[in-house]
Amino acid sequence: MPRSSEHSAPPVGALLRRHPHAGEPLSCVPVAEGLLNRGYRLATTRGRYFLKQHLDAPTADRATITRQHRATQRLHALGLPVAPPLPDSRGRTVAVIDGRCYALHPWVEGRHRDGAQLTTGGSRRLGALLGRVHTTLDRVMGPPPPGDRHDSARPEDTFTDIAELIRLARAHRPHGSFDALAEHRLRERRRLLAQHAHRRPPAAATAGWVHGDFHPLNVLYRGAEPAAIVDWDRLGVRPRAEEAVRAAAIFFVRPGGELALEKVRAYARAYRRAAGADGTELAAAVHRVWWERLNDFWTLRWRYQLHDHRADPQFPAVSALAVWWTREYDAVRDAFCA
């Protein structure tokens, strides 16, 4: 469940006693970005740090976080732009204080860039970077464990979800323009899904280690070059090419819901070269992510079922993308695969 947007003061003193090399605290300011965990810009007498409080229930236990930390340490050693956590005086990277997990990272000076701020060359570099992430994860994590199926959404389940979300949107008070748009998009999606239900893809055939949440808020830039890939909480085994497609659908979506296909093409070509992926693998990934978008309403779930409005600004473009992608399906597939 998404956390509250309210911030309580982290236990800076207790944490820094475990990191005596980090100095004495001067200030600790919440970082605005981020939906699942909490971050703070911590200034001390010896420098600046990023203090992360892990709250997302599926990934907030010590063993899971430690595994992520070890992966980023190995990736950093192999030259990828990541910011591994700083070990404390006993060599540990996870501090459990009052039942909560914290980690101290070096502060990386940089800014976030979405696809509109990337040139064609920058889009190419982004695709190559993600391809390197995937191939390097193979080296540091070893063969992925077998077993998990990655099934696609069932239309009958989605129709049930749509009916419930329409009911909640109609009943929302005060009822405003957002709620009216939500009702419109839900009915529109129901019609689209009925038309395309026969195109449900099979379970994914291959999977590998992925970052799990590769999007503009998790890549920091210094100038035109990526300075750090952050937030490895969802490191796991999933279809790799789908992460590439999913990331592009976030980076390169325009406010009206269209994808900047020339940038997608440059990004995808670089990804395929770096990852050793072929057009057939990308075509299957495009189909599965399109289907995922057609069946997904996570922003509305947050608003109406979890009463969390932080994802509301993303809804107009996300909902429009599913409609546009369905209409321009062949062009999108060609941009990823040609």
Side-chain angles (χ1 to χ4, degrees), residues 4-43:
S4 167
S5 59
E6 297 178 359
H7 288 271
S8 57
V12 172
L15 183 75
L16 289 180
R17 283 193 290 274
R18 303 180 183 209
H19 291 267
H21 60 278
E24 298 297 319
L26 297 175
S27 64
C28 186
V29 180
V31 175
E33 292 89 354
L35 293 175
L36 298 176
N37 297 295
R38 288 180 183 160
Y40 301 86
R41 180 171 177 159
L42 174 62

Side-chain angles (χ1 to χ4, degrees), residues 58-329:
T59 61
D61 64 281
R62 186 172 195 161
T64 300
I65 299 167
T66 299
R67 185 187 68 165
Q68 297 159 6
H69 288 175
R70 289 174 180 164
T72 57
Q73 289 166 338
R74 294 167 184 162
L75 293 172
H76 182 263
L78 291 171
L80 278 173
V82 296
L86 301 171
D88 65 16
S89 57
R90 297 176 62 181
R92 299 171 302 187
T93 58
V94 182
V96 182
I97 302 172
D98 296 330
R100 296 282 177 84
C101 291
Y102 299 87
L104 193 65
H105 297 257
W107 180 264
V108 178
E109 200 62 53
R111 57 175 294 190
H112 303 290
R113 291 180 179 272
D114 60 28
Q117 298 166 308
L118 296 178
T119 63
T120 301
S123 305
R124 190 178 300 115
R125 287 191 291 273
L126 181 68
L129 175 61
L130 184 56
R132 284 182 60 211
V133 166
H134 287 169
T135 57
T136 310
L137 279 173
D138 281 348
R139 294 173 59 187
V140 304
M141 301 300 293
D148 285 351
R149 286 175 57 86
H150 298 274
D151 289 322
S152 56
R154 291 162 23 104
E156 51 268 38
D157 295 336
T158 305
F159 289 135
T160 300
D161 293 341
I162 288 173
E164 174 63 9
L165 287 168
I166 288 175
R167 184 187 69 79
L168 292 172
R170 187 182 299 126
H172 187 263
R173 295 293 181 271
H175 193 277
S177 59
F178 185 105
D179 307 298
L181 177 62
E183 288 188 63
H184 167 72
R185 288 300 192 192
L186 286 163
R187 292 192 177 92
E188 178 182 55
R189 194 76 63 82
R190 185 165 58 191
R191 291 192 298 271
L192 276 178
L193 190 57
Q195 293 169 12
H196 296 279
H198 63 286
R199 299 176 66 185
R200 181 191 178 200
T206 59
W209 290 98
V210 298
H211 175 277
D213 202 19
F214 196 83
H215 60 69
L217 291 182
N218 285 340
V219 182
L220 282 167
Y221 279 82
R222 191 175 297 122
E225 295 298 326
I229 305 166
V230 300
D231 284 349
W232 291 79
D233 304 84
R234 296 191 175 182
L235 171 69
V237 176
R238 283 179 287 281
R240 294 193 317 174
E242 287 180 35
E243 173 159 85
V245 175
R246 196 173 292 113
I250 302 172
F251 269 95
F252 300 111
V253 65
R254 292 170 171 155
E258 311 90 357
L259 292 178
L261 292 183
E262 285 306 311
K263 292 182 179 181
V264 169
R265 183 172 286 105
Y267 159 95
R269 285 176 177 170
Y271 172 80
R272 294 200 312 269
R273 285 194 296 269
D278 61 23
T280 300
E281 183 180 355
L282 265 292
V286 167
H287 187 69
R288 286 178 55 83
V289 177
W290 162 75
W291 180 261
E292 175 185 284
R293 290 291 181 268
L294 202 59
N295 285 267
D296 184 53
F297 307 96
W298 74 272
T299 54
L300 296 184
R301 290 182 186 280
W302 277 36
R303 176 181 175 87
Y304 295 119
Q305 296 177 333
L306 303 175
H307 310 293
D308 187 326
H309 291 248
R310 288 175 297 139
D312 284 4
Q314 300 185 43
F315 172 69
V318 168
S319 60
L321 174 60
V323 179
W324 178 86
W325 192 336
T326 301
R327 186 173 66 246
E328 302 293 337
Y329 181 91

